[in-house]
Amino acid sequence: MSRNLAQLRNIGIMAHIDAGKTTVTERILYFAGRTYKIGEVHNGTAVMDYLVEEQQRGITITSAATTLRWRDHTVNLIDTPGHVDFTIEVERSLRVLDGAVAVFCGVGGVEAQSETVWRQADRYHVPRLCFVNKMDRLGADFEQVISEITSRLHGNPLVVQLPIGEGDTFAGQVDLIRRKAYYYDPEEIATKLRIEEVPGTMRDEVELAWHEMIERAADLDDRLMEKYLADEASVTEGDIFAAIRKGTLLGRVQPVLCGSALKHMGVRPLLDAVVDYLPSPLDVPAVPGHENLTTDKVIYRHAEPDEPFSALVFKILSDQHGDLHFARIYSGSIKAGTRVLNSTQRKKENVSRIWEMHAKQRNAREEAIAGDIVAFVGPKNSITGDTLCDTRNPIVLERLEFPEPVITMSIEPRTNADKDRLALALATLEREDPSFEYHYNAETGETTISGMGELHLEIVKNKLTRDMGLDVRVGKPKVSYKETIRSSAEAEGRFIRQTGGRGQYAVVLLKVESYQPEGNADPIAFESQIKGGAISKEYVRAVEQGVRGAATSGPLAGYPMLNVKVTLLDGKEHPVDSSDIAFEQAGALAYNAAVEKADPVFLEPIMRLQVSTPEEYVGAVTGDLNGRRALIRDMQLRGAYRVLLAEAPLAEMFGYSTQLRSLSQGRATSTMEPHSYAMAPAHVTEALLRYV
């Protein structure tokens, strides 16, 4: 392992489903010498898709990590899923990675999940480069993909390679920086790379593209600008690489390459680009954190082995020999057998073993240092998003944001003997997957599971039955509705008890109103307008805690509440009888009373939908979508297909993929992802209230 952090790359492969992420990864492993045989997704032999479910379905469900070497650099690589139901895997991977490779299909271009993963990378300020895959497919259009990256993703693609032909005529790439052509010999499974002069038919195109690339690169680096303006001939390849790397690290450009991973074309230049353009841990700003959960003071940890140890747990994988806690080490170093502090839970943990992962295989490590991504065995109380750190130098790193489940179904074991086993299994799955939840209703005895979509819960059911040996029955999927308010109201909450001795006393006056959170802001906003010390600061925190607890159950049907702003206006406390518990209870009472008067309504989840259909089925597809209360936002022509972009209520979309296949003789495809919540129409509200 390289101990030079400048020669370390922590990267992820991200894309829409079926764009070819795992195929790209498998070729990277082969050309880097990590595997001796190329795994194929369509044959179920991909190294990184090692779960039975992944091999059977030909899709990635869980992110898989590996480590490889290229040009004296160590590359920690994570292959992420493309299906929206498993978006949490992308989210938590991007949170700990320094760079990413966005893969696009040369035919499909920018698709629905492409937008989602791009936004996730934007949120965590992850520098990235683009790889336009499947250039050998009929209908591939390199220029169209570049245009869509600009228009739909608001990216700044910088073309550093041009394809030599497209579709059946695709033969290789032209490297614009070196102004050389790359060809591959198919009989050698494209392992033989030939570097030749640019084809005569492309010289004018290459010359034009080179000048455009240089001009944009010069905008990124003053030194290159000076040389380019003074004497174009004095510009070296090193100057161009340095300028593009600088712009990539700042997020001002995304270098674009192309190829066909299935035919092994363009994989080695892609690996070169990872080394040349993506950041090392030293290129990433110091990670911010807090000394504890209650302080606002920000402290920083740098990617230096001699700084105090800090790491973020971003994934947990249950294992019969002890749970694997995947962690990114941000500073310091750790040896196997070390005792650390979980600063989030305020508990000490033991790290008994350290593993370097290669999909499901493991290699023991005696030590891990800043920049490494490894798996720890030993922690008992740590969960996804927790910080592990030096016991004498505590720090709490920023936690991960988890998406809200949008679909729920009931589940029960076929025998009473399996009840306890089911509860234990569901707790294990919830610990592994923060986007999965389960609830047990003590009054009805019903257990429900919630997730990101039908496929997500189907995978959960299969894990329970096949992997954990449980025989279970599941109900029909139900939508996870929310509640909110349409007007403002005030209410007083009084919690006064006197039972002899010290009593309980708290009086709280609250105002609730509707509001729209921006970005990742809290859907329940709390603000205190207490003046003159009417309530002590610690009691204000207790009121907020009571409000947030009450907001988990709305007044109409008990669904969680969203988009409510709560303002603490006034209150009273007693010098002896007041307590945190009293103000927590008073805050909950005031909140419940206020929202009941503020015109509560149901919110239903709205999905962003993308449908790709042959022209002759457009009428049938749009007619069906209109019947599902869908709003078609855009319709684009892409080759021989129409791409419809729409927003539709989740409640109307169950079983849609089956219906779409029926409408189009199996030729149309669709993808969905959570978009927003909107007020439920009257007939939905009436139906929901009938079951209350």
Side-chain angles (χ1 to χ4, degrees):
M1 272 313 115
S2 170
R3 289 307 182 195
N4 182 355
L5 289 181
Q7 293 179 302
L8 178 63
R9 301 288 183 271
N10 290 315
I11 68 162
I13 311 289
M14 62 181 198
H16 180 87
I17 190 170
D18 285 338
K21 296 175 309 305
T22 302
T23 302
V24 169
T25 305
E26 293 295 322
R27 271 53 180 179
I28 285 174
L29 294 178
Y30 178 79
F31 286 115
R34 196 68 178 82
T35 56
Y36 66 91
K37 182 181 178 183
I38 297 176
E40 299 290 4
V41 175
H42 53 272
N43 291 336
T45 57
V47 174
M48 302 299 273
D49 285 350
Y50 59 87
L51 298 179
V52 174
E53 199 79 36
E54 293 177 316
Q55 293 169 354
Q56 289 178 347
R57 294 176 181 269
I59 63 171
T60 303
I61 293 171
T62 182
S63 56
T66 188
T67 302
L68 53 96
R69 300 275 293 171
W70 186 258
R71 275 176 40 192
D72 295 326
H73 286 66
T74 299
V75 180
N76 290 321
L77 184 149
I78 296 181
D79 178 32
T80 65
H83 199 287
V84 66
D85 283 19
F86 313 108
T87 189
I88 181 62
E89 294 287 341
V90 186
E91 184 86 22
R92 57 185 174 186
S93 297
L94 288 174
R95 169 65 177 82
V96 299
L97 292 171
D98 299 327
V101 176
V103 179
F104 300 94
C105 174
V107 180
V110 173
E111 299 171 274
Q113 187 67 358
S114 308
E115 297 184 47
T116 303
V117 297
W118 194 273
R119 287 197 305 271
Q120 289 170 317
D122 283 341
R123 185 181 310 138
Y124 296 116
H125 308 291
V126 178
R128 71 217 76 149
L129 54 85
C130 306
F131 182 71
V132 182
N133 192 26
K134 302 188 180 183
M135 286 303 301
D136 60 317
R137 288 263 306 272
L138 188 64
D141 190 334
F142 184 72
E143 291 298 328
Q144 179 65 27
V145 178
I146 300 300
S147 174
E148 290 181 359
I149 293 172
T150 304
S151 61
R152 293 185 57 182
L153 302 181
H154 307 293
N156 295 296
L158 178 62
V159 176
V160 295
Q161 281 185 356
L162 287 178
I164 303 173
E166 291 177 343
D168 292 340
T169 63
F170 179 66
Q173 311 94 352
V174 171
D175 184 326
L176 290 179
I177 298 177
R178 298 180 175 91
R179 287 195 266 195
K180 295 289 184 181
Y182 295 161
Y183 293 100
Y184 305 86
D185 292 333
E187 65 273 13
E188 299 286 340
I189 63 160
T191 55
K192 189 174 181 182
L193 171 65
R194 290 184 288 110
I195 302 176
E196 298 183 5
E197 295 302 316
V198 174
T201 55
M202 290 187 67
R203 282 176 188 163
D204 290 343
E205 180 187 0
V206 169
E207 195 66 22
L208 190 65
W210 184 85
H211 280 284
E212 183 181 341
M213 177 191 68
I214 289 294
E215 287 171 7
R216 291 191 58 198
D219 287 337
L220 306 170
D221 186 80
D222 292 341
R223 183 170 174 272
L224 177 59
M225 176 68 82
E226 290 174 7
K227 293 184 73 171
Y228 179 61
L229 293 176
D231 179 13
E232 181 183 301
S234 68
V235 175
T236 66
E237 292 177 6
D239 295 331
I240 304 172
F241 277 116
I244 295 176
R245 177 178 175 80
K246 181 178 179 181
T248 305
L249 298 186
L250 293 173
R252 293 176 59 187
V253 294
Q254 295 85 38
V256 183
L257 300 90
C258 61
S260 169
L262 186 63
K263 293 187 176 177
H264 324 286
M265 302 167 75
V267 178
R268 277 165 294 188
L270 176 61
L271 271 168
D272 287 336
V274 166
V275 169
D276 291 333
Y277 303 129
L278 293 183
S280 75
L282 299 178
D283 298 313
V284 178
V287 62
H290 302 278
E291 287 184 357
N292 53 59
L293 291 171
T294 58
T295 182
D296 292 330
K297 181 184 177 183
V298 179
I299 55 178
Y300 294 91
R301 291 284 187 268
H302 298 81
E304 297 291 346
D306 53 0
E307 283 217 0
F309 168 73
S310 66
L312 183 76
V313 176
F314 68 94
K315 178 175 178 170
I316 295 174
L317 197 60
S318 295
D319 187 84
Q320 59 182 350
H321 303 298
D323 287 355
L324 293 171
H325 292 71
F326 287 77
R328 160 68 190 266
I329 302 175
Y330 282 98
S331 63
S333 61
I334 183 172
K335 292 184 177 180
T338 301
R339 193 164 176 80
V340 298
L341 172 68
N342 181 328
S343 53
T344 314
Q345 307 279 352
R346 297 182 181 178
K347 294 178 180 178
K348 291 187 177 180
E349 299 271 38
N350 290 317
V351 175
S352 56
R353 280 174 288 176
I354 302 172
W355 296 109
E356 177 187 292
M357 302 301 295
H358 175 51
K360 64 180 178 180
Q361 300 173 14
R362 323 167 181 182
N363 298 317
R365 293 271 297 270
E366 289 301 316
E367 182 183 23
I369 66 169
D372 282 340
I373 294 177
V374 291
F376 296 143
V377 176
K380 302 294 184 187
N381 302 298
S382 299
I383 59 174
T384 301
D386 282 359
T387 301
L388 300 178
C389 61
D390 185 86
T391 55
R392 294 161 297 179
N393 296 278
I395 184 173
V396 181
L397 303 176
E398 179 189 355
R399 298 205 71 181
L400 285 148
E401 296 288 334
F402 304 130
E404 286 278 336
V406 296
I407 187 172
T408 299
M409 61 173 61
S410 60
I411 187 169
E412 62 179 14
R414 292 188 184 273
T415 64
N416 285 331
D418 280 343
K419 275 189 174 180
D420 291 340
R421 286 183 61 211
L422 176 62
L424 187 63
L426 292 176
T428 299
L429 293 176
E430 189 178 55
R431 190 169 69 251
E432 286 186 353
D433 182 358
S435 64
F436 168 76
E437 295 177 358
Y438 81 97
H439 299 280
Y440 175 72
N441 189 321
E443 294 180 5
T444 63
E446 182 186 46
T447 299
T448 58
I449 56 176
S450 303
M452 299 305 297
E454 291 180 90
L455 178 60
H456 188 191
L457 294 187
E458 186 182 339
I459 298 296
V460 167
K461 181 198 170 188
N462 290 346
K463 281 186 178 180
L464 291 170
T465 54
R466 185 182 55 230
D467 300 343
M468 299 180 175
L470 283 162
D471 193 5
V472 296
R473 284 192 296 256
V474 295
K476 291 184 178 180
K478 296 183 292 186
V479 176
S480 294
Y481 291 94
K482 306 291 183 187
E483 297 181 28
T484 191
I485 56 176
R486 286 194 289 187
S487 60
S488 61
E490 294 182 12
E492 185 180 72
R494 302 173 68 87
F495 190 77
I496 302 173
R497 303 286 187 273
Q498 195 65 50
T499 55
R502 182 174 176 177
Q504 299 283 0
Y505 185 95
V507 178
V508 167
L509 178 64
L510 293 179
K511 177 185 178 182
V512 297
E513 56 192 315
S514 177
Y515 101 115
Q516 285 298 322
E518 295 182 1
N520 292 320
D522 199 317
I524 302 294
F526 183 87
E527 179 185 340
S528 173
Q529 291 185 357
I530 293 294
K531 297 177 182 176
I535 300 178
S536 305
K537 282 187 176 181
E538 61 266 28
Y539 294 151
V540 171
R541 283 196 293 269
V543 172
E544 180 178 359
Q545 191 170 345
V547 164
R548 295 195 180 280
T552 60
S553 179
L556 295 175
Y559 290 112
M561 300 198 71
L562 296 178
N563 305 346
V564 179
K565 181 180 180 182
V566 183
T567 306
L568 175 57
L569 300 174
D570 200 3
K572 296 177 184 177
E573 66 177 69
H574 189 278
V576 176
D577 292 346
S578 288
S579 65
D580 286 348
I581 293 175
F583 274 98
E584 190 175 324
Q585 293 293 325
L589 291 170
Y591 177 83
N592 288 332
V595 295
E596 284 187 7
K597 298 189 293 183
D599 194 10
V601 292
F602 288 108
L603 293 173
E604 62 176 351
I606 303 297
M607 309 299 285
R608 180 189 282 117
L609 175 70
Q610 178 172 303
V611 182
S612 179
T613 176
E615 189 78 40
E616 59 264 36
Y617 304 113
V618 169
V621 171
T622 54
D624 181 67
L625 287 175
N626 290 332
R628 295 173 183 268
R629 296 193 284 128
L631 181 62
I632 297 175
R633 295 288 190 186
D634 194 13
M635 192 180 299
Q636 303 167 353
L637 185 62
R638 190 176 289 160
Y641 280 71
R642 284 275 180 181
V643 178
L644 282 66
L645 303 176
E647 293 166 12
L650 175 61
E652 306 287 348
M653 300 307 293
F654 290 131
Y656 178 68
S657 58
T658 302
Q659 176 66 8
L660 182 64
R661 283 196 294 271
S662 175
L663 291 171
S664 64
Q665 298 183 9
R667 295 173 63 193
T669 59
S670 68
T671 56
M672 279 193 302
E673 63 171 339
H675 177 257
S676 60
Y677 279 86
M679 195 172 76
H683 73 276
V684 174
T685 298
E686 290 170 9
L688 291 171
L689 290 175
R690 277 201 297 269
Y691 294 101
V692 177

